Amino acid sequence: MDDTRALSDNSYAGHLNASGATSVGYSDVPALMTGLGRRARQAARRMALASSEQKNAALRAMAASIRTRAASILAANAEDLAEAAATSRTPAFIDRLTLNPERLEAIAEAVESVAALPDPVGRVLARFERPNGLRIERIATPLGVIGVIFESRPNVTADAGALCLKAGNAAILRTGSESFRSALAIADAMGEGLERAGLPADAVRLVPTRDRAAVGAMLTGLDGNLDVIVPRGGRSLVARVQEEARVPVFAHLEGLNHVFVHERADLEMAKAIVLNAKMRRTGVCGSAETLLVDGACAATHLKPLVLMLLDAGCAVRGDAATQAVDPRVTPATEEDWRTEYLDAIISVRVVGGLDEAVAHIETYGSHHTDSIVTDDAAVAEHFLRQVDSAIVLHNASTQFADGGEFGFGAEIGIATGRMHARGPVGVEQLTSFKYHIHGSGQTRP
Amino acid sequence: MDDTRALSDNSYAGHLNASGATSVGYSDVPALMTGLGRRARQAARRMALASSEQKNAALRAMAASIRTRAASILAANAEDLAEAAATSRTPAFIDRLTLNPERLEAIAEAVESVAALPDPVGRVLARFERPNGLRIERIATPLGVIGVIFESRPNVTADAGALCLKAGNAAILRTGSESFRSALAIADAMGEGLERAGLPADAVRLVPTRDRAAVGAMLTGLDGNLDVIVPRGGRSLVARVQEEARVPVFAHLEGLNHVFVHERADLEMAKAIVLNAKMRRTGVCGSAETLLVDGACAATHLKPLVLMLLDAGCAVRGDAATQAVDPRVTPATEEDWRTEYLDAIISVRVVGGLDEAVAHIETYGSHHTDSIVTDDAAVAEHFLRQVDSAIVLHNASTQFADGGEFGFGAEIGIATGRMHARGPVGVEQLTSFKYHIHGSGQTRP
């Protein structure tokens, strides 16, 4: 379809007009994106200086606007759904795209819950006094302008926008094409909430076109007006962003997570953790994909673990030792150790102890989340130290890889890079810092 | 000259051969750099797991090697100097390039002083317990492989390598062409020190060619084997790295720093701070380039400040009010507010109070270091909060913008970006983190 025409008279375009951007035609996507970036930067400057009260008032007003505009948001969603129905989408896809009054209320409540989080801006991260009397403080500040590129899930518009705003940032949101109208309706409600709190609506903007060129513009950094990109979605989206972005990216390409059952693992605990790590939800990035069993306990632990998985409906692909356990186990190939199934499938391998387990994880893993089950604290410490993943656990399920489970309140994603943010990216990770120095006339010798 | 031939039988090439890279010809720079990146990544993995004792032993052994190899390092430096003398280099350039026994001893001592710093790796940055009993710790880890691109200052080879090593990283060092032989001799000494401590010499490597294609390879990230680049040098170098690098960069393009003398500034304190900020050393990034004087105190403060600067040998370029103070003041153009002089020149402007001062700094500044002189604590807080610079000072000289003055021990540079590191980049800023989680069998509901 022609985005330009479809959007020419919607409320978002009205916002743009109100901002003095009447000359931006959506057919000129580069100009549109340049303007979006420039206004986001201006908005970010105002947001950085907004008080906690003002930001929280805006979040509450956003939630209120989402509620009062429920009818129009649901109508927009109905249009999205009608279009999606005309294509051959999976039921799961349609389900993620679907809004209803209950889901919309949950979205509003999620925005309110962000208001209830502590303000990450202004925290004193460090404080030290120098021999010359200078008092130096490291103070948390916003990051700036955050670009979020996500799949067709309408709720992400509100979640991501709220988190960025809470940390004093401006957000440029790019939704998947299929949820475009729903996301636009929600973003409009958020803009209204910002303005009601005396803050600029430009602090949370949805890219107002489905044209793919808009993503390209974001990846180049919008003339220096985009500080970081958070891609949320499938592997191909994340891979493209990581490959092409000229600005930092907070993301994980995949969660190829392991559970290592050490020879000193309690079998019942190992069974509970493995079952939960693999089967609680198979489609989340924290799910386990490979089970490593210490050869020293294979005689006692391997068969019960494999049978438990098979009985739970999980397909097991194993090495020779694992295949010997049960005829339902199929052979694992080299490719299996590298595969993030995101499904009820697990690869299982017997390894010759701790070092071989670590070596397997470093060779095949994705540096996301890995767990060891053992009663030996020294072995556990060795594992936690050696495994170079964002999250390493001892005697707990990999499915705890989630900002909410960390107590971060909410997360915009999980990062496996080592720069700035690593692990769950919550509001604290959406901040930077600066140094405040108080003197009494000090000059440098 | 032909680097390939000049280097074919030096000790560095020998190191490469010992590492099994005999097939790398320096004429094939991409292959050379690919191999350098791959071996640095392997070395980084070993460095990440090295104990504090091992790293410090390596640093002390490096210092010892620099001392025992003094004759060959000075001979290499003499060759560099002879080549530089054949070109028309400035005396200051030649001075920076020159080593002598005293300077070499200072280099060795600087490496030893890094050994004496606390180990930034393994610090517990945060610790919290969840209601389900999970104990979560955020632990400092190394960043990985750090690329440092610097001008022809032999000492940077040792300083940068030592700081990267201390934080458990591997370093790939690219020196300016003119100090190539000196830097190579120092890097060889550092490699020897690493090996004496049982650590891989690949953890600190100088790019063994002067071919400019090597810089291009570093900017692309060496196939994912380079995690961050630190450019140290002139504006054009930093600008190129910031423009072209596909990996994060810790840098400042310039230090266009301001001192704002507020109406409630003590005149004597203002004079001392302005004189020091501008004239202590004019060529450092923390030097002030623009003086802003509050219109409300211009009648009493402007003339003494301007006369003091003129009398100290500083050229003053001012707005109309400043020109009226003394005939030696020349007119400041719009370009002056945007110019980092790095010389005994200052631009001076009278502004209509705090907000106009902040607006000037945000318009023309470089987000590096800015200072306010005032007796009004509330005004100072407003300034520190509003000015979006890495370092903001109250009643102190901008020349404190230095890792040593912060108590960081040493710095690899000063960053004005908002991602990961900001302000002085010391060993702590050369680390990342990961989460260690200890459970007792927790599974996620």
Side-chain angles (χ1 to χ4, degrees), chain A residues 18 21 40 74 118 164 183 191 205 230 258 276 287 339 342 355 364 381 387 396:
Chain A
L74 292 173
C164 292
R205 285 294 191 202
V230 183
H258 302 74
N276 187 263
S287 62
T339 300
L342 293 174
D355 290 341
Y364 298 106
E381 280 310 309
V387 173

Side-chain angles (χ1 to χ4, degrees), chain A residues 285-355:
Chain A
C285 67
S287 62
E289 306 293 5
T290 299
L291 167 65
L292 301 172
V293 177
D294 195 334
C297 68
T300 52
H301 287 35
L302 182 61
K303 186 165 185 173
L305 286 164
V306 169
L307 293 183
M308 170 197 72
L309 286 161
L310 289 166
D311 292 348
C314 183
V316 176
R317 302 183 187 174
D319 62 0
T322 308
Q323 291 169 51
V325 165
D326 190 285
R328 289 171 291 175
V329 177
T330 59
T333 65
E334 175 76 10
E335 191 56 26
D336 280 297
W337 314 123
R338 302 187 187 281
T339 300
E340 184 194 29
Y341 302 114
L342 293 174
D343 201 349
I345 308 170
I346 195 167
S347 56
V348 181
R349 182 176 210 171
V350 175
V351 293
L354 174 65
D355 290 341

Side-chain angles (χ1 to χ4, degrees), chain A residues 232-271:
Chain A
R232 287 183 52 147
R235 195 191 149 91
S236 63
L237 166 66
V238 176
R240 181 187 170 199
V241 171
Q242 288 187 330
E243 180 73 24
E244 297 180 20
R246 301 301 306 265
V247 291
V249 176
F250 294 161
H252 64 274
L253 192 59
E254 52 185 19
L256 211 166
N257 309 320
H258 302 74
V259 178
F260 171 48
V261 175
H262 176 250
E263 65 164 308
R264 289 202 47 206
D266 176 89
L267 177 58
E268 289 313 307
M269 184 190 288
K271 284 172 68 177

Side-chain angles (χ1 to χ4, degrees), chain A residues 74 99-109:
Chain A
L74 292 173
L99 291 178
N100 57 37
E102 293 69 37
R103 287 182 175 187
L104 204 55
E105 173 57 22
I107 289 173
E109 283 171 12

Side-chain angles (χ1 to χ4, degrees), chain A residues 163 229-233 238 242 249-257 284-287 366-369 389-391 398-406 408 410-419 421-426 429-430, chain B residues 433 435 437 444:
Chain A
L163 284 174
I229 295 178
V230 183
R232 287 183 52 147
V238 176
Q242 288 187 330
V249 176
F250 294 161
H252 64 274
L253 192 59
E254 52 185 19
L256 211 166
N257 309 320
V284 298
C285 67
S287 62
S366 63
H367 306 291
H368 190 295
T369 299
S389 297
I391 305 168
T398 57
Q399 299 242 355
F400 285 110
D402 176 273
E405 294 297 322
F406 275 58
F408 293 177
E411 68 174 31
I412 200 166
I414 288 187
T416 51
R418 288 187 193 82
M419 301 298 295
R422 197 178 192 200
V425 183
Q429 286 72 39
L430 296 179
Chain B
F433 61 84
Y435 291 98
I437 305 185
R444 190 168 170 194

Side-chain angles (χ1 to χ4, degrees), chain A residues 143 243 246 276 280 381 384 387 390 394-395 418 420 422 432-435 437-439 441 444-445, chain B residues 130 143 243 246 276 280 381 384 387 390 394-395 418 420 422 432-435 437-439 441 444-445:
Chain A
L143 265 184
E243 180 73 24
R246 301 301 306 265
N276 187 263
R280 173 184 163 271
E381 280 310 309
L384 297 189
V387 173
H394 171 213
N395 288 349
R418 288 187 193 82
H420 194 89
R422 197 178 192 200
S432 177
F433 60 83
K434 67 196 282 197
Y435 291 97
I437 304 185
H438 288 279
R444 190 168 169 195
Chain B
R130 302 293 304 150
L143 265 183
E243 180 71 24
R246 301 301 307 267
N276 187 263
R280 173 184 163 272
E381 280 309 312
L384 297 190
V387 172
H394 171 213
N395 289 348
R418 289 188 193 82
H420 194 88
R422 197 178 191 201
S432 178
F433 61 84
K434 68 197 279 197
Y435 291 98
I437 305 185
H438 287 279
R444 190 168 170 194

Side-chain angles (χ1 to χ4, degrees), chain B residues 108-169:
Chain B
E109 284 172 10
V111 172
E112 286 173 331
S113 74
V114 172
L117 292 175
D119 192 337
V121 173
R123 285 173 302 143
V124 180
L125 304 174
R127 178 181 277 142
F128 38 99
E129 185 159 340
R130 302 293 304 150
N132 60 10
L134 286 180
R135 290 179 293 117
I136 304 183
E137 292 178 325
R138 186 187 295 155
I139 307 279
T141 64
L143 265 183
V145 182
I146 298 174
V148 189
I149 303 176
F150 52 99
E151 290 182 317
S152 291
R153 298 185 176 213
N155 62 304
V156 177
T157 312
D159 291 352
L163 284 174
C164 292
L165 183 164
K166 179 79 186 189
N169 300 293

